Amino acid sequence: MSEISTGSTPDELLAIAVRVAREAAVTARRMRAEAIVDVQTKSTETDVVTAADKAVERQAVEALLKDRPGDGVLGEEYGDSVAVAPGAVRWILDPIDGTVNYLYGLPQYAVSLAAEVDGVVVAGVVVNAATGDEWTATKGGGAWRDGRRLTGSARTTLDQSLIATGFGYDARRREHQGAVLARLITRVRDIRRLGAASLDLCLTAEGSLDAYFEKGLNLWDHAAGGLIAEEAGLVVGGLAGEPAGGRMLVAAPPALFPALHDALVELDAAGGA
Ligand code: IPD
């Protein structure tokens, strides 16, 4: 892999990301064990999740900037640390993706960390903090889990496909998302709502899900998982030629993407609040 203008190759950036994300995952898991005691004594449930989110993010940001002081970081809790110069690295971090699962102790919550240069994600890792499962990708270097190259699902028809999605936190947005889902569910094998967008993308990359779509994601939800899905050969995009983003993200194998895309356009999945 060629060197990019940051002085580091995507592989070198990935190595840093993997180390930092693994350490962050250990902290997230440990804090959850301690939080059970906290919830019963002094804190509210949301305080516990917010405290863990903040602590994990602080730890990861410190570790990144210790290694690479000139870089910027966009994190869910703290926002953008510094303006990033052209050609410099911006790390995009979700300290705990799947916070509701984290709260309930369901084993689908993850640290998601990506390295972006000039608006292009060049390396990414997602670590399921509950299980230690890990997915990685570099731009042009493929997507990997446990030394196995990922290639997505071979499914080609919507009616045979297992489709994952997610819902925003806003009730008005959910109303529309629920209406879309009520009509889509009759056309597919089944629907899954696992509760962590980064893991949805990784599971789609490895073919454990056939496709995934969601409206309303933030960049930190999909930066790393989106690269992993793309590098697994999936099409990752929005509707009607738009790039993947907050209005809509669809990730599907090339043979399945058009059918899912067209159904989502017909159902106005990018509409509503
Ligand atoms: C959420 C999860 C969820 C998705 C939401 C996200 P958070 O992230 O990824 O699966 O449906 O849109 O906001 O709040 O757990 O970091």
Side-chain angles (χ1 to χ4, degrees), residues 38 54 131 202:
D38 270 8
K54 285 198 166 132
T131 63
C202 291

Side-chain angles (χ1 to χ4, degrees), residues 76 94 96-99 166-169 193 195-197 200 214 217 221:
E76 180 175 13
D94 192 343
I96 303 177
D97 182 32
T99 45
F167 310 113
Y169 290 106
R193 197 292 193 246
D200 288 323
E214 185 163 345
L217 292 178
D221 296 317

Side-chain angles (χ1 to χ4, degrees), residues 65-273:
L65 296 183
K66 187 166 170 237
D67 255 41
R68 300 181 50 92
D71 293 354
V73 185
L74 170 67
E76 180 175 13
E77 298 299 319
Y78 288 94
D80 257 315
S81 62
V82 287
V84 179
V89 173
R90 180 171 74 150
W91 298 94
I92 302 169
L93 170 69
D94 192 343
I96 303 177
D97 182 32
T99 45
V100 176
N101 290 338
Y102 186 75
L103 183 61
Y104 281 77
L106 295 170
Q108 285 99 16
Y109 54 89
V111 178
S112 170
L113 182 58
E116 178 202 71
V117 181
D118 295 332
V120 176
V121 177
V122 297
V125 58
V126 174
V127 180
N128 180 329
T131 63
D133 293 335
E134 186 177 292
W135 297 260
T136 60
T138 52
K139 186 128 193 93
W144 301 84
R145 176 180 177 180
D146 291 334
R148 181 168 63 90
R149 191 161 186 165
L150 308 180
T151 54
S153 152
R155 210 82 57 195
T156 56
T157 61
L158 205 50
D159 62 340
Q160 294 294 311
S161 292
L162 184 61
I163 310 287
T165 190
F167 310 113
Y169 290 106
D170 175 72
R172 282 190 316 132
R173 172 163 295 168
R174 286 183 166 198
E175 193 177 357
H176 185 73
Q177 288 176 316
V180 170
L181 208 58
R183 295 184 59 205
L184 185 66
I185 199 168
T186 58
R187 307 184 191 185
V188 299
R189 182 191 295 274
D190 211 343
I191 295 288
R192 291 291 179 271
R193 197 292 193 246
L194 300 177
S198 59
L199 293 174
D200 288 323
L201 283 161
C202 291
L203 292 170
T204 307
E206 69 175 36
S208 299
L209 296 164
D210 294 311
Y212 164 70
F213 74 94
E214 185 163 345
K215 173 187 163 73
L217 292 178
N218 293 297
L219 187 53
W220 48 78
D221 296 317
H222 66 84
L227 178 67
I228 291 164
E230 266 174 17
E231 287 294 326
L234 307 191
V235 180
V236 180
L239 299 185
E242 285 188 5
R247 273 175 57 74
M248 178 55 66
L249 181 148
V250 185
L256 194 58
F257 188 92
L260 179 58
H261 170 277
D262 293 355
L264 293 173
V265 168
E266 186 197 322
L267 301 174
D268 188 29

